[in-house]
Amino acid sequence: MTAHDFVDAHIEAIQQQFFALLRIPSISTAPEHAGDVQQVAHWLADDMRRIGLHQVEVIPTARHPIVYGEWLGAGSDKPTVLIYGHYDVQPAVKSDGWLNEPFDPTVRDGFVYARGSSDDKGQVFAHVKAAEAMLANGGRPPVNLKFLIEGEEEIGSPNLGAFVKANTEQLKADVCVISDSGMPTADQPAIVYALRGLMTMELIVHGPQVDLHSGSYGGSVHNPAQALTEIIAQLHHPEGSIAVPGFYDDVLPLSDQERVELHKTGMSEAEWRKNTGAPQPYGEPGYAIHERTGARPTLEINGLAGGYFDTGFKTVLPAKAWAKISCRLVANQNPEVIARQVTDFIHSITPSTVTSEVRLLGGSPPALVDLNAPAMQAAIRAYERGWGKRPVFMREGGSIPVVVDFQKELGIPVILMGFGLNNDGAHGPNEHFKLEMFQKGIHTSIHFCEALAQ
Ligand code: BES
Ligand code: MN
Ligand code: MN
């Protein structure tokens, strides 16, 4: 029985394991779910041990653990693949608009609906199941395998960079494969070659020392909620570009050739309308939708708060107001430089009637991957065999903070071979993953190892 036959023969049992993994709410940002995050780490480690991986460990960090496991039986003359993914997920509650409980995986029309189904439990578990199939019945994978699965990706991987840096010998590999991205359609595989970086901050605008009666003081105090909106309204030019001085200075422009290539697969306006339901596209003039999300930086207000927002009304003049602000960054922008520029600009436009406090929360650099790495040919062949179609190359607007650490600290190429779909609903309600894609992903992972060994 080949590894491929094993997958098809055991697909029902494999799906049940996947659903068991989806039932544990490993929400990394929520302190009350820290125990669930631990539980998934141990669940994965147990599964990795059971299938025959060696040195399986649940490695503690300052917050959520890393799961590691390897199989080095192919020998030192064979390549080693480092497979990275994350087992943590974004928050989800049914009242966000889910049709089923987000941690009660439910199959409808060949899709499993559950938080983490696509991002990233399903995609990373496909690789674990590929390893299981290659190891089953005394089988020997054609390449060496190292798995590194973290529980902090959705909170910006605060501890993984240092772990990679401190363990370059253990993690030494010839190539890193990550399945944590999407494809344009279910029958068109894609390799992602650019991810955006991220810079996150909190802005607090302070006015009076305490909340005041808006009758006694209204009209004499610059309301911090108003001042905050006046400040953030100046962060963009009216037509959609970012007004922070120097913001675009380091941006690597798209070449004409790249623009032509990207136009072939980029999201159309019709798809954008279907996926977002928003009335009109918005953004930087002169760029198509997929260029705005894949190749241009942003400045977003992710949250706003201040004053009274419960039922009824309160005639209050709030003492302060908050905004969560983030920037998606592209090559060659540096999160620290951007943080400084945005902070300085906010201070420079803050009226003297209030004060602005900026708290930096974190950042990760943008990533570009080398399309000419030899292992890329193995990835192309793997998709051709697993999907019956040559992959397209695309840019993605999301971020995977550790990619740059793998490139820099381990000096290896990273291949972003996603098995998800751009409209899987990652981070939103009714996240889903096509079970056929899950199965094809397992086959593609096996094909990748086979192609790489040749
Ligand atoms: N899988 C995504 C990253 C992604 C999104 C890749 C879309 C390709 C297309 C990842 O889990 C994610 O959501 N990352 C966060 C990182 C952040 C919290 C530092 C993101 O992009 O917001
Ligand atoms: Mn992800
Ligand atoms: Mn995510």
Side-chain angles (χ1 to χ4, degrees):
M1 194 190 239
T2 68
H4 292 285
D5 294 337
F6 178 94
V7 175
D8 295 336
H10 296 86
I11 194 64
E12 311 258 293
I14 291 172
Q15 285 176 1
Q16 290 308 319
Q17 295 164 12
F18 175 28
F19 299 164
L21 176 61
L22 291 173
R23 277 189 197 101
I24 314 171
S26 48
I27 303 167
S28 50
T29 197
E32 66 275 22
H33 283 286
D36 296 313
V37 178
Q38 287 281 337
Q39 203 192 324
V40 170
H42 287 280
W43 189 98
L44 273 176
D46 289 344
D47 195 59
M48 286 160 64
R49 267 182 218 112
R50 183 185 60 77
I51 68 173
L53 294 177
H54 303 145
Q55 313 295 338
V56 176
E57 282 179 273
V58 173
I59 304 160
T61 75
R63 195 153 170 200
H64 302 307
I66 296 163
V67 183
Y68 178 81
E70 65 184 29
W71 185 82
L72 306 180
S76 54
D77 58 327
K78 290 291 183 196
T80 300
V81 184
L82 175 66
I83 297 154
Y84 162 82
H86 63 94
Y87 67 82
D88 65 321
V89 300
Q90 289 276 334
V93 287
K94 189 164 185 239
S95 58
D96 292 341
W98 287 76
L99 296 176
N100 52 279
E101 284 295 338
F103 296 98
D104 178 19
T106 304
V107 178
R108 287 192 294 272
D109 294 332
F111 292 82
V112 59
Y113 287 78
R115 171 59 85 230
S117 52
S118 171
D119 185 12
D120 178 42
K121 286 175 174 172
Q123 299 198 52
V124 71
F125 197 54
H127 288 284
V128 177
K129 294 299 102 177
E132 173 172 9
M134 291 187 284
L135 288 162
N137 308 316
R140 300 180 68 79
V143 295
N144 301 303
L145 302 168
K146 294 181 176 180
F147 279 89
L148 181 68
I149 310 178
E150 73 155 319
E152 299 188 326
E153 197 277 343
E154 299 290 10
I155 53 170
S157 303
N159 296 299
L160 193 60
F163 177 82
V164 171
K165 199 167 184 165
N167 294 280
T168 52
E169 202 44 49
Q170 181 187 4
L171 300 176
K172 194 167 175 275
D174 298 286
V175 59
C176 173
V177 170
I178 304 178
S179 296
D180 191 21
S181 51
M183 336 181 150
T185 61
D187 55 11
Q188 179 56 71
I191 292 175
V192 169
Y193 67 92
L195 288 169
R196 289 195 287 189
L198 195 65
M199 186 283 294
T200 55
M201 57 168 55
E202 216 168 77
L203 166 62
I204 308 164
V205 173
H206 299 267
Q209 245 165 17
V210 291
D211 289 3
L212 298 172
H213 192 297
S214 72
S216 310
Y217 293 96
S220 74
V221 170
H222 196 169
N223 183 318
Q226 178 194 339
L228 176 93
T229 59
E230 288 164 355
I231 292 166
I232 60 183
Q234 293 176 62
L235 299 177
H236 289 86
H237 290 124
E239 85 286 357
S241 62
I242 294 153
V244 175
F247 189 84
Y248 293 100
D249 284 0
D250 296 330
V251 171
L252 206 66
L254 280 172
S255 70
D256 290 342
Q257 194 201 338
E258 201 181 343
R259 293 187 91 165
V260 171
E261 282 303 312
L262 287 174
H263 265 286
K264 294 178 188 166
T265 56
M267 192 184 287
S268 67
E269 191 171 319
E271 272 173 275
W272 180 91
R273 282 183 190 278
K274 190 166 150 273
N275 292 348
T276 65
Q280 286 289 333
Y282 167 87
E284 206 185 344
Y287 292 93
I289 287 165
H290 64 272
E291 293 173 337
R292 290 175 184 168
T293 59
R296 303 297 296 171
T298 66
L299 187 155
E300 296 286 347
I301 311 303
N302 301 105
L304 277 179
Y308 181 76
F309 217 81
D310 261 330
T311 348
F313 209 91
K314 186 179 179 191
T315 48
V316 71
L317 212 157
K320 44 189 153 179
W322 293 260
K324 303 262 187 190
I325 302 175
S326 67
C327 294
R328 292 280 171 180
L329 309 176
V330 299
N332 289 319
Q333 288 178 302
N334 173 325
E336 273 129 53
V337 172
I338 295 296
R340 174 93 336 259
Q341 289 172 340
V342 176
T343 306
D344 288 350
F345 185 57
I346 286 173
H347 285 135
S348 77
I349 60 175
T350 298
S352 54
T353 43
V354 292
T355 58
S356 281
E357 179 190 352
V358 175
R359 293 186 187 158
L360 298 181
L361 299 179
S364 64
L368 273 183
V369 315
D370 179 10
L371 289 177
N372 297 314
M376 200 52 85
Q377 294 306 319
I380 293 169
R381 203 160 341 137
Y383 267 133
E384 282 171 346
R385 290 184 184 152
W387 247 267
K389 204 155 175 196
R390 199 178 163 81
V392 294
F393 296 93
M394 60 182 203
R395 284 172 170 265
E396 274 289 11
S399 309
I400 304 177
V402 77
V403 168
V404 171
D405 297 301
F406 290 144
Q407 292 172 326
K408 282 203 182 132
E409 304 299 336
L410 304 180
I412 56 175
V414 174
I415 298 182
L416 299 165
M417 53 185 331
F419 303 139
L421 280 174
N422 282 340
N423 54 8
D424 277 344
H427 297 202
N430 301 306
E431 177 179 353
H432 53 279
F433 194 38
K434 196 172 184 175
L435 289 169
E436 192 192 325
M437 313 262 296
F438 175 60
Q439 191 169 351
K440 281 185 183 176
I442 304 174
H443 285 293
T444 302
S445 174
I446 300 169
H447 285 305
F448 176 75
C449 294
E450 291 168 347
L452 194 70
Q454 281 163 15

